[in-house]
Amino acid sequence: MSYSLTIEPIGEQIDVEEGQTILQAALRQGVWLPFACGHGTCATCKIQVVEGDVDIGEASPFALMDSERDEGKVLACCATLQSDAVIEADIDVDDDFEGYPVEDYVATVTRIVTLSPTIKGVHLKLVRPMTFQAGQYINLVLPGIEGSRAFSLANPPSRADEVELHIRLVEGGAATTHVHQQLEVGDQLGLSGPYGQYFVRRSQPGDLIFIAGGSGLSSPQAMILDLLEHGDTRQMTLFQGARNRDELYNRELFEQLAAKHSNFTYVPALSQADDDADWAGFRGYVHEAAKEHFAGRFAGNKAYLCGPPPMIDSAISALMQGRLFERDIFMERFFTAADGAEETTRSALFKKI
């Protein structure tokens, strides 16, 4: 059984299956409602019910207060329809966003690579191609693990029949432990995607700065590969941060790209290199490497950040001190339980894993 949902002010009409959330139905039909956590805790997907019966689901009382419930507001990520309905949503999609509908896929593990002591590179072959924008992510279903887990795509859209993921082991995380200890080549997995609105704004002028930490390298890697494949002539600089040389993965790839493309510069930074006498690169945090490279002046650039919250916060502070405005900075934060926050607070990208 399904219900008809009209989304105002755009006048879009979609079908919502019984038990399916409004957000799930919208994303799968190419309507990108604003959302972040995806699990009823952040209030980003708050919408107004104009007509019809809607079950609010398991919305957090902090994200959806009693007074708002009385006014007919619901969270799209939790709410399900009980009848045909009309809602009002604040839809403000970037002109560069392609808005590909979310679909389900089946994939086979073709390769598992140890990228660092804590990060595995997982390569999957899709039964059919997936159209996506570089920087987006997928939700991965693992055997014996309840629910799905989300990971950024590290491969460019030109490799549409493949999925490359960089998966960091999270202490106590059932999904990442399965990937690191049990996943094998030949295993068949289900996934859905693409999700997210983290992508390069191609229509916006300015050179590009990428700042990545840990497995947050995945999205910038996909973005850079895609831009270079399409002959983008803007100057691009990647700052990759890690604690030590063992954690600085894919360094050779980016050194090769820098040697091949005059408009691409690669700057690795190690925050704990005191005992590494042979390290000739930058010693310190990745945002400090960016400040030194640009002499503290970032105006005229667009910055794309991806990594753990402390790195993101430090990078934002450095960039804004260097005269880069908030509108010029785009980011993805990687939250884990170790950060003292649920991973669901990211951008519907990472549940606690």
Side-chain angles (χ1 to χ4, degrees), residues 150-209:
F151 301 100
S152 298
L153 292 156
N155 55 294
S158 59
R159 288 157 45 192
D161 61 346
E162 299 178 17
V163 166
E164 178 185 343
L165 309 173
H166 300 167
I167 301 179
R168 180 173 69 88
L169 179 63
V170 176
E171 185 176 356
T176 58
T177 298
H178 179 92
V179 168
H180 278 251
Q181 298 181 6
Q182 297 173 260
L183 192 67
E184 296 181 351
V185 171
D187 286 354
Q188 193 171 82
L189 305 175
L191 60 89
S192 63
Y195 294 94
Q197 297 190 48
Y198 183 59
F199 54 88
V200 174
R201 274 61 178 177
R202 294 177 184 269
S203 67
Q204 297 187 16
D207 292 332
L208 305 174
I209 297 171

Side-chain angles (χ1 to χ4, degrees), residues 239 288-298 321-322:
F239 298 93
E288 296 171 337
K291 286 176 64 176
E292 179 180 274
H293 184 84
F294 282 94
R297 295 187 293 272
F298 301 104
Q321 289 174 12

Side-chain angles (χ1 to χ4, degrees), residues 218-247:
S218 51
S219 289
Q221 175 176 304
M223 292 170 164
I224 291 165
L225 291 173
D226 185 47
L227 290 165
L228 294 176
E229 284 179 6
H230 285 84
D232 196 299
T233 59
R234 285 175 290 183
Q235 291 296 318
M236 309 173 207
T237 307
L238 169 63
F239 298 93
Q240 181 188 6
R243 289 189 297 271
N244 51 58
R245 223 186 304 198
D246 288 341
E247 293 288 347

Side-chain angles (χ1 to χ4, degrees), residues 168 212-216 306-314 332-336 339:
R168 180 173 69 88
S215 60
C306 198
M311 186 218 82
I312 295 288
D313 293 340
S314 296
E332 284 279 37
R333 299 174 186 264
F334 279 37
F335 283 102
T336 71
D339 299 315

Side-chain angles (χ1 to χ4, degrees), residues 1 16 19 35 51 78 95 149-150 187 190 200 204 237 241 257 259 280:
M1 183 176 180
V16 182
F35 73 102
E51 296 178 14
C78 298
D95 290 340
R149 301 295 187 271
D187 286 354
V200 174
Q204 297 187 16
T237 307
L257 290 175

